[in-house]
Amino acid sequence: MKTKITLLLAALFIGLNIGFAQQDEECMTKLSIFHEYVKAKNFDAAYQPWMDVRTKCPQFNNAIYIDGEKILTDKIEKSTGADKVAAINDLVKLWEERGVNFPEKTPKGEYGAQSCQLLYDNRAILNKTNEELYACFDAAYQADKATFTNPQSLYTYFSLMVDLFDAGKKPAEDLFNKYDDINEKIEEEVKNYSESLNVLIEKETAGTELTSRENQYKAYYESYLAAYDQIAAGTDEKMGTRANCDILIPLYTKNFEANKENSVWLQRAAGKMSEKECTDDPLFFKLVNAYHELSPSANSAFYLGILKDKEGKSNEAISFYKQAIDLETDNFKKSNLNNRIALKLKSRGSYSQARSFFREALRLNPSNGRPYLSIAAMYAASANDCGDTNFNKRAVYWLAADEAQKAARVDPKLAGAAAQSAANYLAKAPQKAEIFSAGNSGQVIKISCWIGAQVTVPKM
């Protein structure tokens, strides 16, 4: 009978994809019991057999830690006061035990951030200070930056830095460095998810239907990209006016001599001054030239293009912008660079050139819909200048609406903004009564000027 039971349990474990490292019948039996309780969401009943296995056989199976997290999370949600504190601390301890007993399945950055986030979310009841919490996140980040990828934890980590800066406990330079560090990390994660998503978008664009599994992956990638987009906006909002020219210029001036051979420092300083529109100050010129001389790169060439733009030397600026693109080898970064250049050209009214760079940005990263919205905005801004009649001028808004709608199709996180833009453009385009009066339903209108496109009048 005992042999039959053992074989039955072994077969059950195979079905659950559960393996074991030591032959202990009691642990095997109790693991099966608590696992079934967890599946039924009867966490209270699961607690004692789970604790027995956790205590006696900590290396028996990773299910101890997977199910244990669910058991303790339920206990945290249901308890209050000292019981809640005990359950929170025990969950943190459980993750530490998992790291000891199953290190290959417990990435330090991921689980460290998870623990710190739990402490942060319950900081009031745990009496945790901002210094303690920041130190927790920083230790996890430094231990394993590669797997510290949770969007919420990245934001919390930076938010704590800002709070410590506001309290006078962190200097401005630490704040700016951490801002750059977190944003570079966000960009890295966006790059990873975008490249995976682009493969699926290109497949769809080619007319091939995605499998159900591919659609699941697509939704997964899109959800994470939306989360990182929110976090990027959140870090900018949290930073607010703390990084302005009045703060940046004295700080970077003071530290320039000590860092003029440090390409990372020069790049970040020039980037921050460019981002905050501090490019009129002579310090920006010093930073850019020192950076380009020390380490010629796509970024340094881009900043030199900005300088030439400031001098009114448009052709030289374009030359440096193109050099920047040639120096960049990563397609995702090259797409971002094309978009940045296009935005510069758009801001000075060079719409035709800007569109070329926007389109290249789209080619390199088709899952980013922002260039479509920028092209749409340029079309709309040119409506009065393109077309020989009032009707044809307003027909430009149909083109603008079409570009905005493309943004929504490839980039769900922009769906709301894109739909609002498209609706706004369509409201300015000729309406049904005007089309009926003009008698040109279904006809093709050629749009001249820099746009050089054609649009079909909707059929009535």
Side-chain angles (χ1 to χ4, degrees), residues 2 20 22 67 87 98 105-106 128 148 156 210 286 288 304 326 335 350 393 434 448 451:
K2 183 182 292 186
F20 49 88
Q22 60 190 66
D67 286 352
R98 173 176 172 148
K105 296 182 179 179
T106 314
K128 292 290 184 181
F148 191 121
T156 304
L210 299 182
K286 285 176 65 177
V288 169
L304 285 171
D326 289 340
S335 173
S350 300
K393 288 178 179 181
E434 296 170 279
S448 57
I451 295 177

Side-chain angles (χ1 to χ4, degrees), residues 156-432:
T156 304
Y157 181 29
F158 177 70
S159 179
L160 285 165
M161 166 60 85
V162 175
D163 292 342
L164 291 173
F165 169 78
D166 288 347
K169 295 177 180 179
K170 290 287 184 182
E173 190 164 14
D174 284 0
L175 172 64
F176 300 153
N177 285 337
K178 188 52 59 182
Y179 175 84
D180 288 334
D181 200 21
I182 295 298
N183 275 279
E184 286 169 9
K185 177 62 179 173
I186 291 171
E187 183 177 342
E188 178 185 323
E189 295 305 316
V190 169
K191 173 181 182 292
N192 293 336
Y193 284 107
S194 294
E195 288 177 344
S196 297
L197 180 58
N198 286 341
V199 173
L200 301 179
I201 287 179
E202 287 169 358
K203 183 176 179 179
E204 280 186 313
T205 303
T208 304
E209 187 175 348
L210 299 182
T211 65
S212 59
R213 188 172 182 81
E214 286 174 330
N215 274 313
Q216 289 176 346
Y217 275 120
K218 183 184 177 188
Y220 172 75
Y221 300 146
E222 289 173 345
S223 68
Y224 263 90
L225 286 170
Y228 283 118
D229 192 59
Q230 288 183 324
I231 295 307
T235 56
D236 286 342
E237 184 178 347
K238 185 74 177 180
M239 176 67 92
T241 59
R242 293 170 183 86
N244 56 42
C245 298
D246 291 338
I247 295 174
L248 294 173
I249 293 169
L251 176 67
Y252 293 146
T253 299
K254 182 182 75 172
N255 294 328
F256 178 77
E257 285 299 319
N259 290 281
K260 63 184 181 182
E261 300 295 325
N262 182 340
S263 61
V264 173
W265 185 90
L266 290 169
Q267 187 271 324
R268 287 185 168 185
K272 183 66 74 251
M273 290 190 69
S274 171
E275 176 191 330
K276 297 301 178 180
E277 298 295 334
C278 307
T279 53
D280 288 333
D281 192 272
L283 176 63
F284 183 69
F285 179 85
K286 285 176 65 177
L287 288 167
V288 169
N289 280 282
Y291 177 37
H292 193 68
E293 184 176 340
L294 181 66
S295 180
S297 66
N299 281 326
S300 65
F302 174 74
Y303 298 141
L304 285 171
I306 293 175
L307 286 174
K308 294 302 178 183
D309 256 339
K310 289 287 182 183
E311 295 171 7
K313 299 176 180 177
S314 300
N315 290 337
E316 290 183 49
I318 290 293
S319 178
F320 275 115
Y321 289 150
K322 288 181 177 178
Q323 182 182 339
I325 291 169
D326 289 340
L327 287 168
E328 183 55 73
T329 57
D330 182 279
N331 278 349
F332 178 81
K333 292 180 179 179
K334 187 174 286 194
S335 173
N336 285 345
L337 190 55
N338 272 279
N339 191 63
R340 289 165 69 191
I341 293 167
L343 289 171
K344 288 288 182 187
L345 295 169
K346 174 176 173 282
S347 68
R348 75 181 192 200
S350 300
Y351 290 163
S352 181
Q353 287 180 315
R355 182 175 59 183
S356 296
F357 284 100
F358 280 132
R359 284 178 172 169
E360 181 64 7
L362 287 166
R363 186 187 71 80
L364 293 166
N365 184 18
S367 62
N368 179 16
R370 285 191 174 86
Y372 283 123
L373 291 180
S374 295
I375 294 172
M378 292 191 302
Y379 284 169
S382 302
N384 285 333
D385 301 321
C386 301
D388 52 356
T389 66
N390 180 60
F391 187 99
N392 288 357
K393 288 178 179 181
R394 291 171 58 209
V396 173
Y397 289 110
W398 282 321
L399 286 175
D402 184 57
E403 293 295 319
Q405 288 162 351
K406 289 177 185 176
R409 286 197 292 271
V410 302
D411 197 341
K413 67 179 180 291
L414 296 178
Q420 186 175 355
S421 294
N424 180 49
Y425 297 142
L426 289 173
K428 295 177 180 178
Q431 303 302 301
K432 289 183 179 180

Side-chain angles (χ1 to χ4, degrees), residues 22-259:
Q22 60 190 66
Q23 299 294 327
D24 189 300
E25 191 171 323
E26 180 184 355
C27 288
M28 185 165 61
T29 302
K30 288 187 175 181
L31 188 146
S32 176
I33 291 170
F34 79 66
H35 183 71
E36 289 303 314
Y37 278 136
V38 168
K39 282 170 61 178
K41 300 190 184 300
N42 189 349
F43 300 111
D44 290 338
Y47 182 79
Q48 192 54 55
W50 166 70
M51 277 297 292
D52 291 342
V53 179
R54 175 189 179 187
T55 303
K56 184 178 181 182
C57 312
Q59 294 183 325
F60 188 69
N61 192 279
N62 197 33
I64 297 167
Y65 305 97
I66 296 172
D67 286 352
E69 182 177 329
K70 298 172 184 175
I71 293 167
L72 290 177
T73 298
D74 177 72
K75 192 173 285 290
I76 291 168
E77 291 173 355
K78 291 178 179 177
S79 57
T80 58
D83 290 340
K84 187 180 187 77
V85 170
I88 292 167
N89 289 331
D90 199 26
L91 181 51
V92 171
K93 181 182 177 184
L94 180 73
W95 285 328
E96 291 172 353
E97 291 171 356
R98 173 176 172 148
V100 171
N101 294 302
F102 291 90
E104 72 285 354
K105 296 182 179 179
T106 314
K108 291 180 180 178
E110 178 185 344
Y111 280 85
Q114 201 165 274
S115 295
C116 298
Q117 190 67 48
L118 179 66
L119 298 178
Y120 177 84
D121 292 341
N122 294 278
R123 59 194 179 282
I125 194 173
L126 296 172
N127 294 316
K128 292 290 184 181
T129 65
N130 284 346
E131 292 97 322
E132 290 173 319
L133 291 166
Y134 180 81
C136 181
F137 279 104
D138 194 50
Y141 190 77
Q142 301 303 333
D144 188 7
K145 180 179 176 181
T147 65
F148 191 121
T149 60
N150 183 276
Q152 182 185 15
S153 293
L154 283 168
Y155 176 77
T156 304
Y157 181 29
F158 177 70
S159 179
L160 285 165
M161 166 60 85
V162 175
D163 292 342
L164 291 173
F165 169 78
D166 288 347
K169 295 177 180 179
K170 290 287 184 182
E173 190 164 14
D174 284 0
L175 172 64
F176 300 153
N177 285 337
K178 188 52 59 182
Y179 175 84
D180 288 334
D181 200 21
I182 295 298
N183 275 279
E184 286 169 9
K185 177 62 179 173
I186 291 171
E187 183 177 342
E188 178 185 323
E189 295 305 316
V190 169
K191 173 181 182 292
N192 293 336
Y193 284 107
S194 294
E195 288 177 344
S196 297
L197 180 58
N198 286 341
V199 173
L200 301 179
I201 287 179
E202 287 169 358
K203 183 176 179 179
E204 280 186 313
T205 303
T208 304
E209 187 175 348
L210 299 182
T211 65
S212 59
R213 188 172 182 81
E214 286 174 330
N215 274 313
Q216 289 176 346
Y217 275 120
K218 183 184 177 188
Y220 172 75
Y221 300 146
E222 289 173 345
S223 68
Y224 263 90
L225 286 170
Y228 283 118
D229 192 59
Q230 288 183 324
I231 295 307
T235 56
D236 286 342
E237 184 178 347
K238 185 74 177 180
M239 176 67 92
T241 59
R242 293 170 183 86
N244 56 42
C245 298
D246 291 338
I247 295 174
L248 294 173
I249 293 169
L251 176 67
Y252 293 146
T253 299
K254 182 182 75 172
N255 294 328
F256 178 77
E257 285 299 319
N259 290 281

